[in-house]
Amino acid sequence: MKIMFLGNSHTYYHDMPEIFRRICLERGKDVDVTMHAHPDKSYKWHLAEMSELRFALMHSGYDYVILQQAAHPGPSKEETLRDAKTMVEMAKGFGVTPIQTMPWCEKRLPEHQEEMYDIFETVSEKYDVKINPIGRIFEDITKNHPEIDMYWIDGEHASPYGAYANALSTYATIFGESVKGISPKAINNMTTTEEEYKIIKEAYKRAGADPDNKALQDEALDIWNKYAAINEDKEAIEVVLDSDKVAIIQEVVDKYAL
């Protein structure tokens, strides 16, 4: 089975598609995973890069494409419906089954989750596409199990627990199987500290206050690359999550994804 993950940084943080692949391997499923994910990019951007997307869907023999729209902030409902329709119809036209990922809201703005439910449940109903309900899983765990931090240090991207939950939810959505008992193994390739993130925020605040100042823009990017670069050490990024927290996550994933 071949699966493409298409999206943005919410897709690639902590190598989420690789966590998914390893879950499949553990469950005896031979799955080949690839990823088309670029930071801050929406469906509109991916559609503009039509040569890449068209070629992959037409010629690469994919069985599924997992769609992740931009978020925090995301495009309007109108834009998302328009571009999701094109994505879904293209995938189905080439014999690829699309699955829409339900985004999670910013940690500091839980009220945004209802807007996301409205947008992506409309996508599901209008275009007959199945939803990976990770947004509902984030909301449930954040409200009812605050000891499990689903968010990375910025309060927007997934933590290793959040990425693990997303991989589990994707698995359950595709295969219709309980995820209970899956190993608590994940990936943590973003190890920025609180102090380092504070430095990053201050640099981007300076750059945002003077957007025409190329030196400040370059400085902010250099600081990001210094303190938030993705770890390239394959062994160092391997992590084992707390088994009690993982058991809770698996319970909640089964609740929404099955």
Side-chain angles (χ1 to χ4, degrees):
M1 180 182 289
K2 292 188 68 174
I3 300 177
M4 178 206 299
F5 286 81
L6 182 145
N8 44 69
S9 57
H10 294 294
T11 304
Y12 66 67
Y13 258 53
H14 305 298
D15 294 345
M16 186 276 292
E18 172 61 13
I19 301 174
F20 167 83
R21 187 194 69 82
R22 295 179 186 188
I23 290 168
C24 292
L25 184 63
E26 181 177 333
R27 285 290 178 90
K29 294 175 172 60
D30 184 12
V31 173
D32 180 17
V33 170
T34 59
M35 183 173 68
H36 293 263
H38 305 270
D40 301 319
K41 301 307 182 186
S42 65
Y43 290 169
K44 181 178 180 179
W45 183 90
H46 282 285
L47 289 171
E49 300 295 317
M50 183 62 79
S51 58
E52 178 185 67
L53 180 59
R54 171 196 161 278
F55 183 91
L57 291 173
M58 179 183 283
H59 298 297
S60 299
Y62 287 105
D63 297 285
Y64 289 90
V65 56
I66 314 301
L67 304 172
Q68 169 82 58
Q69 175 65 302
H72 312 161
S76 67
K77 181 177 181 179
E78 179 182 29
E79 179 181 322
T80 296
L81 289 175
R82 180 195 69 209
D83 294 339
K85 181 176 187 290
T86 303
M87 289 274 196
V88 168
E89 289 179 349
M90 186 191 310
K92 289 182 177 180
F94 293 134
V96 182
T97 300
I99 291 179
Q100 172 64 61
T101 300
M102 169 68 75
W104 53 90
C105 65
E106 304 92 321
K107 189 175 184 179
R108 68 185 182 282
L109 297 171
E111 63 272 16
H112 281 184
Q113 195 62 57
E114 286 300 322
E115 180 181 359
M116 292 179 174
Y117 292 153
D118 174 52
I119 292 172
F120 293 99
E121 286 172 359
T122 302
V123 168
S124 176
E125 292 167 8
K126 285 179 69 72
Y127 309 134
D128 189 28
V129 58
K130 201 170 186 180
I131 282 185
N132 162 22
I134 185 60
R136 292 196 177 276
I137 293 162
F138 259 72
E139 182 180 45
D140 189 314
I141 293 173
T142 299
K143 284 183 177 178
N144 299 313
H145 303 281
E147 71 278 12
I148 304 174
D149 195 347
M150 299 287 281
Y151 291 87
W152 189 61
I153 196 170
D154 64 354
E156 296 186 8
H157 292 91
S159 69
Y161 283 97
Y164 175 79
N166 196 4
L168 289 177
S169 185
T170 304
Y171 178 90
T173 300
I174 291 174
F175 296 108
E177 295 179 4
S178 170
V179 297
K180 290 178 182 176
I182 288 175
S183 300
K185 296 177 181 178
I187 293 171
N188 180 9
N189 59 18
M190 303 286 289
T191 55
T192 309
T193 67
E194 292 277 357
E195 187 59 34
E196 289 169 343
Y197 190 66
K198 182 179 178 181
I199 295 170
I200 292 170
K201 286 180 66 177
E202 290 172 350
Y204 275 93
K205 184 178 180 180
R206 292 192 297 272
D210 191 0
D212 295 325
N213 188 324
K214 186 176 184 303
L216 288 178
Q217 311 308 312
D218 290 344
E219 177 192 44
L221 182 59
D222 287 344
I223 288 173
W224 173 268
N225 288 333
K226 179 178 180 180
Y227 293 119
I230 295 176
N231 192 329
E232 302 294 339
D233 187 331
K234 189 173 181 179
E235 293 184 3
I237 65 177
E238 309 285 343
V239 295
V240 177
L241 304 177
D242 180 90
S243 59
D244 291 335
K245 293 179 179 179
V246 161
I248 292 169
I249 289 171
Q250 291 175 353
E251 184 78 31
V252 177
V253 168
D254 277 4
K255 175 181 174 181
Y256 290 102
L258 295 182

